[in-house]
Amino acid sequence: MVLLCAFTLRAWTQAFNDTITGRTHHIGEVRVERKRVERSVSSATPLQTVDKEVMQQLGMTNLSDAVKRFAGVNVRDYGGIGGMKTVSVHNLGAHHTAVSYDGVTVSNTQAGQIDVGRFSLDNVQTVSLAIGADDRLMQTARHFASAGIIAIQTERPVFEDENRYALRFRLNGGSFGQVNPSLRYWQKIGRQTALSVNGNYMRADGTYKYTLVNGRYRSEEKRYNSDIYAINGEANLYQTFRDESQLDVKAYWYYSHRGLPGAVTLYNPVSNERLHDEDFFTQAVYRKTLSQQWQIHARVKYTHSWSRYEDTDPKYQGGQQNDIDRQNEYYGSVTAGWTPVRNFGLSVAQDLVFNNLRNNINVGSSQRPANPDRFTSLTALTAKWSLPRTDVWANLVATYATERVETGTNPDDRKRLSPTVAVTYRLLGDEALHVRAMYKSTFRMPTFNDLYYLRMGNTALRPEKAHEYSLGLTWGGIRIGHADITATVDAYYNDVDDKIVAFPSTYVWKMANFGHVNIHGVDATVSADIPLVSKVNLLVSAAYTYQKAVDKTKGSASYDRQLPYTPQHAANASAILRTPWVDVGYSVLMQGKRWSMAQNTPEYLIKAYWEHTLTLSHLFTFRRCRLNVTGKVQNLTDEDYEIIKYFPMPGRSWNLSATLYL
Amino acid sequence: MKLRNLMFSVLSALAVTATFTACSDDDEWNPLDEGSKIYVAETRAFVLNEGSYNANNAGITYFDWQADTTFNYDLFLAQNGKQLGDTGQDIIADDEFIYVAVYGSNYITKLNSLGVEQATVKLPAELGDVRYLVKYDDYIFVTCYGGYVAKVQAHDMKYVSSVQVGANPERIVEKDGKIYCTNSGWGADNRVAIIDADKFDKASFMTVMTNPDNLLNVNGRIFVQGYGDYYDYPWGELNTTTGEFKQIGNASSWTTYGGVIYMINSVTDWNNKKEDGSYPTINYFSTYNTNTNEYKEANYLKNMPTELASASVCGMSANPFNGDLYIMTSDYVNNSVIYHFDANGNFKKKFSSTGLGARKIVFFK
């Protein structure tokens, strides 16, 4: 009944040999038999992962494609290649979701939410989503501080045979005038060092057709001002020292300029908004095992982001508005782990962050820019205790933030404790059947925009608080015939209090901590690996989310109504058929009906949609080089749909890519 | 309580009887002949719902002001089979027609007095998006956000010409053949522009206050309201002969009937957070009688529902035929609630505007 995944230590050492350490341990062949238990099953907190191979075979190119596959996630996609895409986990809002890139969080203190549309999956090894927190010890304090974390892990160089370098060139193109060449180069420098360099350029007209429904009338329209030019580069240095400690250093740069088509406005197609932005960061991660009991991870990062929003309209003085924002972040984190006995570990992580924002938002008005500086300290204490059948994971994060402004009032310092407790219990001794439970108290800081935006900002804001409770059942290694099945189901309850919202008054609105939201939901996932005949297998997976997220603000006219853009039912499924001739990937995403406004009336109803994608790919091998050719048709049925009202999504589109490995 | 309910029932019954009488007396009233797709009462009023930004949910709903019956659908959509567009900015009416300026969609539509579209106009893009309207002779004068007042022929909605004024002009009125509009500049301007309606060649200016917004012409006197330096909504009178502006009080919304200006100042106290995190809004009521120059800071409404004391008021309109007052409130997320009072300030009814952000009502009979 149970899949016994046997693997030999030789195989393991072989894999080890492939890494840059270049060391081979020769151990006599020992056969170790144990159940292959995926982390999604054994993790005490809900965890979902998608790996490179699956992403490739399902034709995913953007981080948002991968994230949309997870249960419990709501991606707000404003449509088009350059359209913003933000992720909300269990309906807590995008501000509660953290994104980490190779172990260090990406931040945006001004807006507080990350546009996942910025990240290409070109060099990504895995994307995972942990709800609550990832239940491992050696992470930064920031990783524990959000309600959910999307972790992007990039590929590390692997050199086959005696090669000292590896080159990959990809050309990707398709609908909307998209052309996207990319280059990846890996170089081995000595026995202990490797270097990787990636470059990626993308351009697209972005223009696409959509159907506009206006009362009785339907018309075929085109979405203009959706062009995008983006270029990004990344260089990584991987060093393994003699003491086997590791240092990874990364420099990342991204530049883009794009049109912001905005909402479709009836009778007025004029759209002149543009965005130019640039991000640079450099980070270093150092990992060292000091002894059998002690290990230490240290991380530093510097981020600079710049953006210029431009709008051309006669209503502005001089006919144009230019908002320029510059943000800097200096970040350092040290995590020390102590494992005194085999089944008990403790870690303490200390993060220090300094953020500032300089912009011209208030220039020209009677107010001067606030120019805020924020200093944040996060301290996380984590314990993990493994009993034969039970794993207990507990974590406490203490956050202290203090702020200073050049103009205006300094807000009060903010101090908060956020505890998490998660337990998983294996119900049967010889079966990977677990029951798990989690509680987390978390919060999100007011952003610089919440605090200081011209007239709307409110320096009296407190953090927005959230509680997460979840209870789940996971079952891995279920065998039905030859199929290997994994299934998880988690029910959850969240509440959000002191929501940070724009509080209306007659003319001038202000940000306020106002409102309460309750969220009930169920996430379910199932995946199966089905060997059909020799060298042919089928991998199917599905995820389903039920969510009831209602306004519980006393006196609100929309009390007990479902929050806008929250479908009660959302699901996705995929199937990958791997054959020696061609790999066929098929996926479908659906969202049930939802409303664009809190009042849930018929005029604000957004109909359900289904989006199907078909991908064919094959890897050709010619002596030393390999060529992967992938073709994809997205929105196969040409469904007209919107995720955000009046931000239509593209219809059927195609994409072709060729990847050459040398 | 019971007595009040009984009285209300009696009043409602009387109102219904009155309507039937009115309808049966007037055999000529047949709106379906005028191109209407629905039966619209003769004593009709049209509410402009602004909608919310980027949502194309501006609309016009209607009610029978005499019978005090309301209808919960978008009349513009019902009559024309299409939506009004994004951000309903202004609605005006003469005896026969309605004119609506839609800001985000940037056009002006002319409707007959049943809400059926007759013509639309889009002005040259360089003028900026349309804001507010006034009709004088056979022309519609419209403020455009690029700093212009444009002139449009009312009969065929053909654009004639434009005159440059100050930055971001808002409300517009006519007095003695002259067009007056405020120039807000979003706080960077402080003037009222004056243009001769016939010559329509250039503007002269009078300084009023920082960020002026609203204008009223009451019996030939010009009153100006705006945001002021501190967003405390000052208002006062502009002497158009001397160019002198004199502040009288503070108000965020107003309307006029019988020479009296009825005002509400909706003040949100941002320094006084409530326990639930919200901020209290308090409505201060006042009147200014232009016949006697008497300014009264007292509530002219009787038996007002308690919630109206603290609701955000986003518009006020008076029925020119009987002086009834309509106070429009909004939380900007749910449909607006309209409170109806008679000319003596007695509360009559509250009803939903069936749209977001009710701004203004025009009346016909």
Side-chain angles (χ1 to χ4, degrees), chain A residues 347-364:
Chain A
S347 79
V348 59
Q350 175 61 49
D351 291 14
L352 297 176
V353 200
F354 177 80
N355 292 93
N356 68 18
L357 168 70
R358 299 291 178 263
N359 63 18
N360 70 343
I361 296 279
N362 294 358
V363 172

Side-chain angles (χ1 to χ4, degrees), chain B residues 109-307:
Chain B
T109 177
K110 177 183 180 178
L111 316 174
N112 70 12
S113 69
L114 301 160
V116 180
E117 190 166 78
Q118 311 292 302
T120 63
V121 63
K122 257 186 142 16
L123 303 179
E126 62 271 20
L127 302 184
D129 297 344
V130 296
R131 298 292 287 179
Y132 292 92
L133 308 167
V134 68
K135 182 163 184 271
Y136 174 65
D137 276 354
D138 182 41
Y139 295 102
I140 300 294
F141 294 87
V142 50
T143 47
C144 302
Y145 237 3
Y148 292 89
V149 172
K151 189 175 182 177
V152 173
Q153 291 179 165
H155 65 274
D156 60 0
M157 295 303 278
K158 290 273 186 302
Y159 167 68
V160 181
S161 62
S162 63
V163 170
Q164 191 163 16
V165 293
N168 312 111
E170 299 282 11
R171 272 22 178 249
I172 185 165
V173 294
E174 178 275 330
K175 180 199 148 188
D176 301 334
K178 289 200 167 60
I179 302 297
Y180 294 77
C181 76
T182 50
N183 300 283
S184 76
W186 296 338
D189 209 330
N190 58 0
R191 298 169 300 170
V192 164
I194 303 140
I195 311 165
D196 186 293
D198 296 325
K199 288 187 200 150
F200 205 63
D201 52 354
K202 64 177 193 306
S204 59
F205 296 91
M206 288 176 181
T207 300
V208 284
M209 67 174 85
T210 301
N211 209 350
D213 179 25
N214 236 314
L215 281 174
L216 273 183
N217 172 0
V218 187
N219 298 332
R221 289 166 65 179
I222 298 290
F223 295 89
V224 191
Q225 180 266 5
Y227 294 91
D229 284 317
Y230 310 103
Y231 280 75
D232 58 350
Y233 315 120
W235 70 275
E237 184 172 5
L238 173 66
N239 183 325
T240 53
T241 319
T242 63
E244 192 192 351
F245 172 75
K246 198 175 135 211
Q247 189 187 333
I248 300 172
N250 301 77
S252 54
S253 295
W254 64 13
T255 189
T256 181
Y257 176 76
V260 178
I261 306 173
Y262 295 90
M263 287 167 286
I264 295 177
N265 196 19
S266 280
V267 179
T268 303
D269 186 354
W270 298 112
N271 296 315
N272 188 13
K273 187 160 61 176
K274 292 201 280 191
E275 213 165 85
D276 65 357
S278 65
Y279 292 86
T281 292
I282 301 170
N283 290 324
Y284 298 94
F285 295 82
S286 59
T287 48
Y288 185 79
N289 189 327
T290 60
N291 306 313
T292 61
N293 292 336
E294 191 185 4
Y295 178 44
K296 268 201 239 170
E297 289 180 285
N299 194 350
Y300 43 86
L301 304 176
K302 295 160 192 159
N303 58 352
M304 170 181 98
T306 47
E307 76 271 15

Side-chain angles (χ1 to χ4, degrees), chain A residues 435-512:
Chain A
V435 57
R436 64 186 174 193
M438 184 201 57
Y439 164 75
K440 179 165 189 151
S441 161
T442 181
F443 66 94
R444 72 115 165 155
M445 270 306 176
T447 65
F448 283 154
N449 278 349
D450 296 335
L451 293 161
Y452 307 112
Y453 200 83
L454 179 64
R455 279 193 285 275
M456 275 191 82
N458 184 351
T459 50
L461 287 176
R462 297 186 306 271
E464 175 179 306
K465 298 186 273 289
H467 295 101
E468 298 175 274
Y469 305 82
S470 84
L471 183 68
L473 199 65
T474 67
W475 197 357
I478 310 165
R479 293 279 287 186
I480 298 175
H482 293 292
D484 175 18
I485 301 164
T486 300
T488 68
V489 57
D490 290 275
Y492 62 89
Y493 167 76
N494 298 335
D495 61 60
V496 188
D497 204 7
D498 276 347
K499 268 189 85 69
I500 296 175
V501 295
F503 186 79
S505 85
T506 304
Y507 293 111
V508 182
W509 293 27
K510 239 184 172 47
M511 301 307 292

Side-chain angles (χ1 to χ4, degrees), chain A residues 48-250:
Chain A
Q48 299 169 70
T49 303
V50 55
D51 66 29
K52 185 172 81 175
E53 203 178 4
V54 168
M55 294 190 282
Q56 211 162 37
Q57 286 162 342
L58 291 176
M60 298 176 181
T61 51
N62 187 281
L63 178 59
S64 68
D65 298 335
V67 173
K68 280 176 182 173
R69 267 177 62 87
F70 296 139
V73 159
N74 200 349
V75 177
R76 286 201 177 184
D77 187 337
Y78 290 79
I81 296 170
M84 189 161 83
K85 294 155 181 70
T86 63
V87 184
S88 167
V89 173
H90 283 176
N91 260 290
L92 294 165
H95 294 89
H96 285 276
T97 311
V99 176
S100 88
Y101 196 74
D102 282 339
V104 186
T105 40
V106 179
S107 87
N108 182 342
T109 322
Q110 183 186 15
Q113 46 186 4
I114 304 294
D115 178 4
V116 296
R118 300 300 169 93
F119 296 95
S120 128
L121 293 175
D122 243 11
N123 304 301
V124 173
Q125 184 67 39
T126 61
V127 176
S128 67
L129 168 73
I131 292 170
D134 188 324
D135 72 343
R136 285 183 286 194
L137 285 179
M138 297 303 291
Q139 301 178 72
T140 67
R142 255 191 178 178
H143 268 220
F144 301 124
S146 295
I149 181 156
I150 296 166
I152 304 163
Q153 200 65 50
T154 62
E155 295 170 291
R156 295 177 75 89
V158 177
F159 299 97
E160 288 170 4
D161 307 325
E162 291 304 306
N163 286 351
R164 297 193 62 79
Y165 74 92
L167 185 69
R168 188 189 73 188
F169 176 72
R170 176 174 293 163
L171 185 63
N172 184 20
S175 303
F176 325 122
Q178 189 184 351
V179 179
N180 175 204
S182 71
L183 189 72
R184 184 190 77 186
Y185 180 70
W186 289 342
Q187 174 72 50
K188 194 179 204 171
I189 307 167
R191 287 163 60 86
Q192 313 278 27
T193 313
L195 184 75
S196 82
V197 181
N198 314 314
N200 193 323
Y201 168 82
M202 200 251 286
R203 62 87 60 201
D205 308 326
T207 307
Y208 58 86
K209 282 192 278 193
Y210 67 95
T211 307
L212 178 65
V213 179
N214 176 11
R216 286 201 295 269
Y217 303 95
R218 282 174 79 88
S219 55
E220 293 302 313
E221 306 282 339
K222 270 193 169 173
R223 194 104 167 106
Y224 293 107
N225 196 28
S226 307
D227 59 300
I228 177 165
Y229 298 86
I231 181 161
N232 101 292
E234 185 177 323
N236 291 281
L237 180 76
Y238 305 92
Q239 170 73 29
T240 305
F241 296 101
R242 278 168 201 276
D243 60 359
E244 296 202 359
S245 65
Q246 288 184 314
L247 176 70
D248 300 345
V249 182
K250 179 194 296 289

